[in-house]
Amino acid sequence: METFIEEFGTIGGAFLATLTLAAISGALSLVWGTVLAAFRVSPVGPLRTVGTLYVEIVRNTPLTLMFFFWVFVAPSLGIIAPIGFRIAVISLTLYTSAFVCEAVRSGINSVGIGQAEAARSIGFTFGQTLTQIVLPQAWRSAIPPLISVLIALVKNTSVAAGFAYAEMVAISQRLTNRNPVDGLFIFFGIGAMYLVITIPLGILAQRLERSMGFAR
Amino acid sequence: MSGSVLYDAPGPRARRIDRTLNIVFSLVLVAAAAGAAWAMQQRGVFDDRWEVLWDPPLGQTAGDVWTSLGKGLGRTLLAAAIAAPIAAMLGGALAILRAGARRRLVATSATVLTELARGLPVLLLMFFAKLVLGWSPLWSVVFGLVVYNTAVIAEILRAGIAALPRGQREAGLSIGLSRMRTTLIIELPQAVRIMLPALVSQLVVLLKDSSLGYIVAYEELLRTIKLNRDFFGDRYTIPMFVVGAGIYIAINLALSRLATYTERRLREGGGGRGLKPPEIGPTGPIPQSGVGGPAREEGASAGDPVFGAGRRPESHPVPQRRPGETEEERRRRAYYGDPTSQSIRHNTGGDPGGGI
């Protein structure tokens, strides 16, 4: 208990570190994931292949392996990224974007074919169909799964603890090693801080899903 | 791409543009791949360092290397093999409590427990077991995997129970079974059956999460790779990594295939009882999380490149909403088949597909 209070500054800093990491890699993976989704639904065959390969490979490998790649393997290929924050952002972004891609893609697929057909039949161009008819609806059904992906991302930032980035799990480990007696409190405190982020997001996703389920 | 919302059947002009784009992008990609390969060649990636896999230096034999890798893989599988059954049992118990407990308090606490366990990072749980409970690395890994996957499995089964026709529960209650027994012997078996694909996909997540053992000093596959690399030296990182990544991808792809396969069997009514798995939906039954992340966006078949590219089998296309039909009716049709094709005709507002 005492350690938790005394070290609250450190813990608060770690909380911010986790949040920063999640926010930056979240924003980047939204962008890259959407690009990948565009690849996967595009009419151009090679792009689809690239998108599919990327998503399949990333989804079937552990995030730890992604970190391992950037920390240990990439340098032998001549790509040297500074360990810590930047490697964490790169790994989390590349990993999460595969899941973002799938969420966006299933959003696009959930739009009824009739919608696009109707748009075309009243003379909309491809661009108009996409931007005014399909994407607005795709977004709606993609948002709840996207929030789930972000929740997973928040928890996944903890993997950075194993690769030299001082976020919450790394700090909890450090503090516990220093004060083994207070371990229980430290872990409960850190756990609560994760829940403060993840549970509201989960509730938000549920609400949105419920309110959107019947709107269309 | 078949059946996409985005474009019409292409005409001659579109086909011409398509072909040009295909060629251009293929060329660009081939050029990029060749460039990357050339860059690697320049850095000596393709030199004799690969010999570590069959004729390793430092007085080791190929047998030594592969034995150590095999042991690493064995420990990865061991952690998963211990954690998966425990998580399945506990998750089943939680789901039963949530659905069948007479007392509000019991059901609510089961819900709260599930929510809490789902919201925590698996790594934090592993460190908790290791540092606070003082468990061995293997059991720390198992602890983390069990706590998280128990919650997820409970949630999957809950979604499965919720997706059953309400008549199942009513029938159970009306023949005098208690709520608990109804859940246990009527609803749960069916829920397990229809959620089998989701449960198998969860195995992929569990297996992937076992690699967190790397961080808590459990000598699983990834850590074995690291140890081998440390032993043989930096030069041998790439062959080692390629082997490790290959093993992970092979196992997980096989499991994903299995999930897709069970889902297809179920959808096509392989077992005969005609229950269709609920559409797991773009969100899945739950906001999935964990290092594994969402393993299934539209059922287990999501994104499977070979078996379906996330498409349903031709025999059960995703039904589109018909004119005059509410979203709820469309979903019902998606789950339970087309009422208009059965003896009881529902009033769905005119001919299927016809205009109002």
Side-chain angles (χ1 to χ4, degrees), chain A residues 41-42 45-46 56 59-62 64-65 72 77 95 99 102 111-112 116 120 130 148 155-156 158 187 198 209 213, chain B residues 5 7-8 22 26 43 118-119 123 208 211 214 226 249 252 256 283 287 289-292 294 297 302-303 320 327:
Chain A
V41 299
S42 81
E56 280 309 308
R59 275 181 4 149
N60 283 300
T61 49
T64 330
L65 198 74
F72 297 112
L77 296 173
Y95 183 80
F99 298 97
E102 288 305 274
V111 178
R120 270 197 296 276
L130 194 65
S148 311
K155 302 196 303 171
N156 284 343
S158 65
F187 273 93
T198 52
E209 193 171 16
Chain B
V5 245
Y7 18 83
D8 230 336
N22 262 316
S26 301
R43 307 202 129 257
R118 239 176 54 199
L123 188 61
K208 282 165 66 182
S211 74
Y214 172 82
K226 171 78 163 35
I249 293 175
N252 288 330
S256 308
T283 339
S289 31
V291 181
E297 261 77 37
Q320 298 297 327
E327 174 65 14

Side-chain angles (χ1 to χ4, degrees), chain B residues 52 55-61 64 227-233 236:
Chain B
V52 72
D55 184 19
L58 303 178
Q60 302 293 308
T61 64
D64 296 336
L227 291 175
N228 268 298
R229 166 211 180 252
D230 290 347
F231 180 78
F232 288 114
Y236 299 101

